[in-house]
Amino acid sequence: MRVKFVAGNWKMNGNRASNEALLTDLVPLLAGISGVESVICPPFVYLQQVLSLIGGTKTALGAQDLCQFGNGAYTGGVSAAMLKDSGCSHVIVGHSERRALFGETDALVAEKFAVAREAGLVPVLCVGETLAERESGATEKVVDRQLQAVMQRCGAAALRDAVVAYEPVWAIGTGKTATPEQAQAVHAFIRGRVAAADAAVAAEVRIVYGGSVKAANAEQLFAMADIDGGLIGGAALVAGEFAAICRAAAQKH
Ligand code: PGA
């Protein structure tokens, strides 16, 4: 049985006051929910603040990105070792915003995935197609290319303890959620591609959905056989929404 996984990706949002207000509301709500792994991913500069507010609870700390290099002369970079040292257990790699706006290639994402694992962090690997790619029938080709880059670099076994987030780019922050059936089809495809390399790993890897997940649609999405939770953007900034999404994941057995 795969333990459900829900991560909140705050993206470049928040300030010290709003973070504190959000977590003061959220932490007690999450404390009442069991059977789901929850992770909060704030901007780097707020990792310590968030850790001080969630520390000692079951909720884990994650980063939104990391540098592919180890410590050294890489101005502006934040290494896997620094994230680990700062109390992170998870890190998002290959988010579509990183790919589209910061020019991250499949090879760079695979490298980041590798260094995260080497440091003992759980990578949350984002994959997903744009609207144009979906409309031209290229969804599986694109998702497979993004996935294979990581499997070739790290081996399929590396996915066992990782999380794959299927996030159709057209559904992120747009209010257009993939239907449960659309998402399930891609999740099943991803699990099948992992199974082609290693069936045992495919049975264990958590594949979560991201893209306009809200309390109102989470239950239906998480009811699908291959959807093991969610990567949540906008709704992660609202305590009641995020907690309700975690509750929906916890209810799925
Ligand atoms: P959204 O973002 O929930 O705001 O669509 C999801 C994500 O980008 O991780």
Side-chain angles (χ1 to χ4, degrees):
M1 194 67 220
R2 297 183 293 269
V3 178
K4 301 302 168 291
F5 178 93
V6 177
N9 172 12
W10 287 5
K11 309 193 179 186
M12 202 168 77
N13 290 296
N15 56 50
R16 291 186 66 83
S18 69
N19 299 342
E20 184 168 353
L22 172 57
L23 291 171
T24 301
D25 290 344
L26 182 59
V27 166
L29 295 175
L30 293 182
I33 305 169
S34 54
V36 60
E37 222 177 291
S38 58
V39 183
I40 305 278
C41 304
F44 290 134
V45 292
Y46 299 127
L47 286 170
Q48 288 309 297
Q49 185 201 13
V50 170
L51 183 65
S52 74
L53 292 163
I54 63 169
T57 73
K58 292 172 298 188
T59 301
L61 184 67
Q64 298 173 15
D65 184 33
L66 79 171
C67 182
Q68 70 272 33
F69 301 122
N71 290 0
Y74 303 102
T75 301
V78 176
S79 69
M82 290 172 184
L83 295 181
K84 190 82 184 152
D85 188 41
S86 299
C88 289
S89 50
H90 294 72
V91 60
I92 298 170
V93 296
H95 191 279
S96 64
E97 288 150 17
R98 300 295 316 170
R99 294 179 190 263
L101 305 172
F102 298 89
E104 295 200 5
T105 61
D106 292 336
L108 176 57
V109 172
E111 196 57 32
K112 290 187 174 191
F113 185 101
V115 300
R117 281 193 78 245
E118 282 156 21
L121 296 164
V122 175
V124 179
L125 169 67
C126 300
V127 298
E129 82 288 0
T130 62
L131 184 59
E133 288 163 344
R134 172 161 284 262
E135 285 175 346
S136 68
T139 298
E140 292 188 350
K141 190 173 131 231
V142 169
V143 167
D144 195 35
R145 192 198 71 221
Q146 294 169 336
L147 186 66
Q148 296 302 334
V150 170
M151 291 207 282
Q152 276 161 21
R153 171 68 180 78
C154 303
L159 289 172
R160 189 188 300 272
D161 309 313
V163 176
V164 177
Y166 168 56
E167 298 204 306
V169 178
W170 48 272
I172 295 177
T174 57
K176 281 187 208 149
T177 320
T179 65
E181 293 73 23
Q182 278 175 324
Q184 166 59 25
V186 181
H187 282 233
F189 171 75
I190 292 169
R191 203 176 301 285
R193 295 303 290 146
V194 179
D198 190 320
V201 171
E204 283 180 43
V205 64
R206 268 94 51 93
I207 307 175
V208 304
Y209 170 80
S212 298
V213 179
K214 296 174 183 59
N217 58 27
E219 207 171 319
Q220 283 172 299
L221 285 160
F222 299 163
M224 306 309 284
D226 289 293
I227 302 184
D228 303 313
L231 179 55
I232 318 302
L237 299 171
V238 183
E241 280 283 313
F242 189 69
I245 293 165
C246 289
R247 213 172 288 118
Q251 272 162 11
K252 183 189 164 187
H253 294 297

PDB file of all heavy atoms in Angstrom, residues 132-149:
ATOM      1  N   ALA A 132      -0.265  22.802 -26.059  1.00  0.00           N
ATOM      2  CA  ALA A 132       0.018  22.514 -27.472  1.00  0.00           C
ATOM      3  C   ALA A 132       0.462  21.062 -27.633  1.00  0.00           C
ATOM      4  O   ALA A 132       0.074  20.378 -28.600  1.00  0.00           O
ATOM      5  CB  ALA A 132       1.105  23.467 -27.990  1.00  0.00           C
ATOM      6  N   GLU A 133       1.254  20.582 -26.693  1.00  0.00           N
ATOM      7  CA  GLU A 133       1.703  19.184 -26.767  1.00  0.00           C
ATOM      8  C   GLU A 133       0.530  18.225 -26.596  1.00  0.00           C
ATOM      9  O   GLU A 133       0.420  17.233 -27.314  1.00  0.00           O
ATOM     10  CB  GLU A 133       2.783  18.934 -25.710  1.00  0.00           C
ATOM     11  CG  GLU A 133       4.104  19.607 -26.072  1.00  0.00           C
ATOM     12  CD  GLU A 133       5.087  19.759 -24.916  1.00  0.00           C
ATOM     13  OE1 GLU A 133       4.693  19.628 -23.733  1.00  0.00           O
ATOM     14  OE2 GLU A 133       6.265  20.039 -25.211  1.00  0.00           O
ATOM     15  N   ARG A 134      -0.363  18.538 -25.663  1.00  0.00           N
ATOM     16  CA  ARG A 134      -1.548  17.670 -25.491  1.00  0.00           C
ATOM     17  C   ARG A 134      -2.394  17.687 -26.762  1.00  0.00           C
ATOM     18  O   ARG A 134      -2.805  16.635 -27.256  1.00  0.00           O
ATOM     19  CB  ARG A 134      -2.385  18.118 -24.286  1.00  0.00           C
ATOM     20  CG  ARG A 134      -3.724  17.387 -24.157  1.00  0.00           C
ATOM     21  CD  ARG A 134      -4.336  17.470 -22.785  1.00  0.00           C
ATOM     22  NE  ARG A 134      -3.691  16.606 -21.833  1.00  0.00           N
ATOM     23  CZ  ARG A 134      -4.131  15.396 -21.466  1.00  0.00           C
ATOM     24  NH1 ARG A 134      -5.221  14.883 -21.999  1.00  0.00           N
ATOM     25  NH2 ARG A 134      -3.475  14.685 -20.567  1.00  0.00           N
ATOM     26  N   GLU A 135      -2.617  18.885 -27.302  1.00  0.00           N
ATOM     27  CA  GLU A 135      -3.496  18.977 -28.472  1.00  0.00           C
ATOM     28  C   GLU A 135      -2.902  18.309 -29.701  1.00  0.00           C
ATOM     29  O   GLU A 135      -3.616  17.877 -30.590  1.00  0.00           O
ATOM     30  CB  GLU A 135      -3.851  20.450 -28.743  1.00  0.00           C
ATOM     31  CG  GLU A 135      -4.888  20.935 -27.717  1.00  0.00           C
ATOM     32  CD  GLU A 135      -5.226  22.409 -27.819  1.00  0.00           C
ATOM     33  OE1 GLU A 135      -4.473  23.148 -28.506  1.00  0.00           O
ATOM     34  OE2 GLU A 135      -6.236  22.820 -27.202  1.00  0.00           O
ATOM     35  N   SER A 136      -1.572  18.217 -29.728  1.00  0.00           N
ATOM     36  CA  SER A 136      -0.969  17.530 -30.884  1.00  0.00           C
ATOM     37  C   SER A 136      -0.742  16.045 -30.599  1.00  0.00           C
ATOM     38  O   SER A 136      -0.086  15.350 -31.362  1.00  0.00           O
ATOM     39  CB  SER A 136       0.354  18.212 -31.266  1.00  0.00           C
ATOM     40  OG  SER A 136       1.306  17.981 -30.244  1.00  0.00           O
ATOM     41  N   GLY A 137      -1.288  15.562 -29.496  1.00  0.00           N
ATOM     42  CA  GLY A 137      -1.208  14.128 -29.202  1.00  0.00           C
ATOM     43  C   GLY A 137       0.143  13.682 -28.668  1.00  0.00           C
ATOM     44  O   GLY A 137       0.481  12.495 -28.706  1.00  0.00           O
ATOM     45  N   ALA A 138       0.937  14.629 -28.159  1.00  0.00           N
ATOM     46  CA  ALA A 138       2.308  14.300 -27.754  1.00  0.00           C
ATOM     47  C   ALA A 138       2.462  14.084 -26.241  1.00  0.00           C
ATOM     48  O   ALA A 138       3.582  13.955 -25.747  1.00  0.00           O
ATOM     49  CB  ALA A 138       3.251  15.405 -28.218  1.00  0.00           C
ATOM     50  N   THR A 139       1.353  14.034 -25.506  1.00  0.00           N
ATOM     51  CA  THR A 139       1.443  13.951 -24.032  1.00  0.00           C
ATOM     52  C   THR A 139       2.359  12.818 -23.575  1.00  0.00           C
ATOM     53  O   THR A 139       3.290  13.029 -22.785  1.00  0.00           O
ATOM     54  CB  THR A 139       0.033  13.775 -23.421  1.00  0.00           C
ATOM     55  OG1 THR A 139      -0.738  14.929 -23.747  1.00  0.00           O
ATOM     56  CG2 THR A 139       0.095  13.625 -21.905  1.00  0.00           C
ATOM     57  N   GLU A 140       2.099  11.605 -24.062  1.00  0.00           N
ATOM     58  CA  GLU A 140       2.885  10.454 -23.579  1.00  0.00           C
ATOM     59  C   GLU A 140       4.351  10.577 -23.984  1.00  0.00           C
ATOM     60  O   GLU A 140       5.248  10.242 -23.206  1.00  0.00           O
ATOM     61  CB  GLU A 140       2.282   9.145 -24.102  1.00  0.00           C
ATOM     62  CG  GLU A 140       0.918   8.882 -23.470  1.00  0.00           C
ATOM     63  CD  GLU A 140       0.348   7.506 -23.780  1.00  0.00           C
ATOM     64  OE1 GLU A 140       0.916   6.791 -24.648  1.00  0.00           O
ATOM     65  OE2 GLU A 140      -0.678   7.149 -23.155  1.00  0.00           O
ATOM     66  N   LYS A 141       4.567  11.069 -25.190  1.00  0.00           N
ATOM     67  CA  LYS A 141       5.955  11.205 -25.667  1.00  0.00           C
ATOM     68  C   LYS A 141       6.735  12.173 -24.772  1.00  0.00           C
ATOM     69  O   LYS A 141       7.878  11.900 -24.376  1.00  0.00           O
ATOM     70  CB  LYS A 141       5.926  11.714 -27.116  1.00  0.00           C
ATOM     71  CG  LYS A 141       7.239  11.679 -27.805  1.00  0.00           C
ATOM     72  CD  LYS A 141       7.097  12.033 -29.278  1.00  0.00           C
ATOM     73  CE  LYS A 141       8.116  13.086 -29.630  1.00  0.00           C
ATOM     74  NZ  LYS A 141       7.613  14.242 -30.317  1.00  0.00           N
ATOM     75  N   VAL A 142       6.122  13.285 -24.428  1.00  0.00           N
ATOM     76  CA  VAL A 142       6.791  14.315 -23.613  1.00  0.00           C
ATOM     77  C   VAL A 142       7.050  13.807 -22.193  1.00  0.00           C
ATOM     78  O   VAL A 142       8.156  13.912 -21.659  1.00  0.00           O
ATOM     79  CB  VAL A 142       5.929  15.604 -23.561  1.00  0.00           C
ATOM     80  CG1 VAL A 142       6.454  16.590 -22.529  1.00  0.00           C
ATOM     81  CG2 VAL A 142       5.869  16.247 -24.942  1.00  0.00           C
ATOM     82  N   VAL A 143       6.025  13.232 -21.596  1.00  0.00           N
ATOM     83  CA  VAL A 143       6.145  12.740 -20.218  1.00  0.00           C
ATOM     84  C   VAL A 143       7.186  11.625 -20.166  1.00  0.00           C
ATOM     85  O   VAL A 143       8.014  11.559 -19.249  1.00  0.00           O
ATOM     86  CB  VAL A 143       4.752  12.279 -19.713  1.00  0.00           C
ATOM     87  CG1 VAL A 143       4.867  11.492 -18.432  1.00  0.00           C
ATOM     88  CG2 VAL A 143       3.842  13.489 -19.519  1.00  0.00           C
ATOM     89  N   ASP A 144       7.167  10.759 -21.158  1.00  0.00           N
ATOM     90  CA  ASP A 144       8.132   9.654 -21.188  1.00  0.00           C
ATOM     91  C   ASP A 144       9.558  10.176 -21.345  1.00  0.00           C
ATOM     92  O   ASP A 144      10.475   9.709 -20.673  1.00  0.00           O
ATOM     93  CB  ASP A 144       7.788   8.701 -22.340  1.00  0.00           C
ATOM     94  CG  ASP A 144       8.511   7.369 -22.200  1.00  0.00           C
ATOM     95  OD1 ASP A 144       8.689   6.908 -21.053  1.00  0.00           O
ATOM     96  OD2 ASP A 144       8.933   6.798 -23.225  1.00  0.00           O
ATOM     97  N   ARG A 145       9.729  11.184 -22.175  1.00  0.00           N
ATOM     98  CA  ARG A 145      11.074  11.765 -22.373  1.00  0.00           C
ATOM     99  C   ARG A 145      11.607  12.342 -21.051  1.00  0.00           C
ATOM    100  O   ARG A 145      12.760  12.104 -20.671  1.00  0.00           O
ATOM    101  CB  ARG A 145      10.976  12.864 -23.441  1.00  0.00           C
ATOM    102  CG  ARG A 145      12.300  13.366 -23.982  1.00  0.00           C
ATOM    103  CD  ARG A 145      12.127  14.710 -24.676  1.00  0.00           C
ATOM    104  NE  ARG A 145      11.869  15.747 -23.686  1.00  0.00           N
ATOM    105  CZ  ARG A 145      10.977  16.738 -23.829  1.00  0.00           C
ATOM    106  NH1 ARG A 145      10.251  16.850 -24.927  1.00  0.00           N
ATOM    107  NH2 ARG A 145      10.811  17.621 -22.863  1.00  0.00           N
ATOM    108  N   GLN A 146      10.732  13.038 -20.335  1.00  0.00           N
ATOM    109  CA  GLN A 146      11.131  13.647 -19.055  1.00  0.00           C
ATOM    110  C   GLN A 146      11.464  12.566 -18.022  1.00  0.00           C
ATOM    111  O   GLN A 146      12.410  12.700 -17.244  1.00  0.00           O
ATOM    112  CB  GLN A 146       9.997  14.550 -18.542  1.00  0.00           C
ATOM    113  CG  GLN A 146       9.773  15.757 -19.452  1.00  0.00           C
ATOM    114  CD  GLN A 146       8.494  16.535 -19.126  1.00  0.00           C
ATOM    115  OE1 GLN A 146       7.551  15.997 -18.553  1.00  0.00           O
ATOM    116  NE2 GLN A 146       8.454  17.797 -19.520  1.00  0.00           N
ATOM    117  N   LEU A 147      10.691  11.490 -18.040  1.00  0.00           N
ATOM    118  CA  LEU A 147      10.898  10.390 -17.086  1.00  0.00           C
ATOM    119  C   LEU A 147      12.155   9.585 -17.428  1.00  0.00           C
ATOM    120  O   LEU A 147      12.956   9.250 -16.551  1.00  0.00           O
ATOM    121  CB  LEU A 147       9.653   9.488 -17.146  1.00  0.00           C
ATOM    122  CG  LEU A 147       9.535   8.354 -16.163  1.00  0.00           C
ATOM    123  CD1 LEU A 147       9.388   8.903 -14.740  1.00  0.00           C
ATOM    124  CD2 LEU A 147       8.309   7.488 -16.515  1.00  0.00           C
ATOM    125  N   GLN A 148      12.313   9.283 -18.714  1.00  0.00           N
ATOM    126  CA  GLN A 148      13.468   8.453 -19.126  1.00  0.00           C
ATOM    127  C   GLN A 148      14.788   9.159 -18.830  1.00  0.00           C
ATOM    128  O   GLN A 148      15.790   8.507 -18.528  1.00  0.00           O
ATOM    129  CB  GLN A 148      13.400   8.099 -20.622  1.00  0.00           C
ATOM    130  CG  GLN A 148      12.216   7.236 -21.028  1.00  0.00           C
ATOM    131  CD  GLN A 148      12.131   5.893 -20.310  1.00  0.00           C
ATOM    132  OE1 GLN A 148      13.137   5.341 -19.850  1.00  0.00           O
ATOM    133  NE2 GLN A 148      10.923   5.369 -20.171  1.00  0.00           N
ATOM    134  N   ALA A 149      14.791  10.488 -18.924  1.00  0.00           N
ATOM    135  CA  ALA A 149      16.043  11.223 -18.650  1.00  0.00           C
ATOM    136  C   ALA A 149      16.526  10.909 -17.236  1.00  0.00           C
ATOM    137  O   ALA A 149      17.725  10.717 -16.996  1.00  0.00           O
ATOM    138  CB  ALA A 149      15.816  12.723 -18.821  1.00  0.00           C
TER     139      ALA A 149
END
